[in-house]
Amino acid sequence: MNVVEIEKVTKRFGDVYAVDNISLAVEEGEVFGLLGPNGAGKSTAINMIVGLLRPDDGQISVLGRSTAKEPLASRSEIGIVPQDLAIYEDLSSLENVKFFASLYGLRGRELDRAAREALEFTGLTESSGARPKSFSGGMKRRLNIACAIAHRPRLLIMDEPTVGIDPQSRNHILQSVKVLNQQGCTVIYTSHYMEEVEEICSRIAILDHGKVIAEGTASQLTALISDTSSVWITAGELDGKINIDQLRAVPGVTNVDIDEQTVKLTSRREVSNLERIISCFTGSGISIHRIESKTPDLETVFLTLTGRNLRD
């Protein structure tokens, strides 16, 4: 069964196509990763799924219900964890969760039980009476999740749920996603952290310029670029010395990305060009400390298909 079906959906803002004739299906029980650089159309797609925007063309259904014809029914089974925190800082944690759960019709003892269970699940029981304005970033993110799951949604949409938090809180959230999924919740997950997507997502779609440019499991996506290789070169002082255009002009090179003192190059596997690449460094007086050959991963796939880093 498909929990979400997006059929030939387009959304325009003036002359700009934020989403351009996309079709996607999210199957029940999946953790579905939605990747794309800024401006790719992810947020617009999510806002249409939850009913905040209506498509200009095409159809969207959630659990078999049209978001256009049955908007309230389709929303009742959705939980949303927005990138911008949706909590009230002057309410306690318990009051926050109760408020959002009440919007889905929970009342009385059922409401109190559901709210307390959500706080326990997110590790916030001891902070149920505290106000989130005193919380760390990680605790606020966990409260954001508690507010989204108290009504036990069948579909949970998580938009950048780990932005700006410490590694311990990030790990707690990732483990929570796995447990929720094991309990039967289907998850749509967006992130700028490729390692998160590789860890928890069963299937992934990559959006760019409003279009779906690739879709599949992580292994299926990496197979798309089996004819490419990646080389990481860690060097001495790069600032003002390395000529990026010269590296990009080397035959076979398809992408060049710099991460601090490491230059990450993607190249066509059949082209022997390492000597030319090294000469770009030595010719500029840059000392090379280490050269590593990397097995293609999702980061390489993304760079190859979009020409951009996910965090750009």
Side-chain angles (χ1 to χ4, degrees), residues 123-193:
L124 293 173
T125 296
E126 293 183 1
S127 302
S128 62
R131 296 179 180 180
K133 60 184 177 182
S134 64
F135 287 2
S136 67
M139 291 176 70
K140 289 180 180 180
R141 288 286 171 189
R142 284 188 275 149
L143 178 58
N144 212 32
I145 293 173
C147 292
I149 65 172
H151 65 292
R152 293 187 176 275
R154 292 175 63 185
L155 171 64
L156 181 64
I157 299 175
M158 308 185 80
D159 189 8
E160 304 283 352
T162 63
V163 170
I165 63 175
D166 61 276
Q168 184 177 2
S169 294
R170 174 175 287 115
N171 184 64
H172 187 284
I173 289 174
L174 293 179
Q175 295 307 312
S176 297
V177 174
K178 293 177 182 178
V179 173
L180 286 168
N181 184 242
Q182 290 167 358
Q183 293 174 350
C185 184
T186 301
V187 181
I188 296 177
Y189 192 92
T190 81
S191 178
H192 278 154
Y193 300 102

